[in-house]
Amino acid sequence: MKPQLMAMIPLVLFVALLAMVAAPLLRGTDPAKLESAMIGRAVPAFTAAGVLPNGAGLSRDDLLGHVSVVNFFASWCVPCQAEQPVLARLAAKTDAAVYGINYKDRPDAAAAWLEKHGNPFRAVAGDRDGRIAIEWGVYGVPETFVVDQQGIIRLRHVGPLTDADLENTILPLLEGIRK
């Protein structure tokens, strides 16, 4: 191969890499937003025992027939603590059922954490091995999903909910689903 062509290989590889990185940005895709293949799909089948003493568990069937918000959280998750007051405001501002799924945590740790930080959930289920989270496409905690009356996932929010998320995204979506 000619030396001039060999010298061009690093440049061509650099331009190709640059194009791969720049293409989503030029299309207007937000690289910080994690897309979910679950949007528009039915909630996966699951059944989980409750983590609170005498507390109800949760299954896919519990999410049918009404609008639901499902939050994956853990007692060891610092951002989960920051979003807990927002979830309490969400539960107070809407008639949507707010459910918690405790991710890879001990039930006693979850119960103590909810006692300390407040429990806005109608029911709290345990996902000790993380299988439910995998089925939902959860990358980490906290993550929050809005589910419509038919059990279809309408929204996935990655990271802790803020008041702005609540007012600008979650509450308007819940209102729109109910209409």
Side-chain angles (χ1 to χ4, degrees), residues 6-20:
M6 290 294 286
M8 295 293 289
I9 290 175
L11 179 62
V12 170
L13 291 174
F14 175 74
V15 170
L17 180 63
L18 185 63
M20 287 180 5

Side-chain angles (χ1 to χ4, degrees), residues 81-163:
Q81 182 178 341
E83 87 170 347
Q84 202 68 357
V86 179
L87 288 168
R89 285 190 285 283
L90 170 63
K93 286 185 172 191
T94 182
D95 60 350
V98 181
Y99 296 107
I101 298 181
N102 185 239
Y103 176 74
K104 291 189 174 183
D105 208 351
R106 293 185 340 266
D108 61 323
W113 189 85
L114 289 167
E115 178 72 28
K116 180 178 180 180
H117 298 290
N119 182 1
F121 305 118
R122 186 175 288 185
V124 182
D127 184 16
R128 293 282 313 257
D129 60 6
R131 291 187 187 275
I132 296 169
I134 289 170
E135 294 294 322
W136 283 67
V138 170
Y139 291 136
V141 289
E143 286 195 27
T144 304
F145 295 82
V146 173
V147 180
D148 70 15
Q149 299 92 327
Q150 291 76 37
I152 305 299
I153 297 173
R154 300 288 296 273
L155 175 83
R156 172 184 178 224
H157 179 85
V158 177
L161 289 173
T162 64
D163 286 324

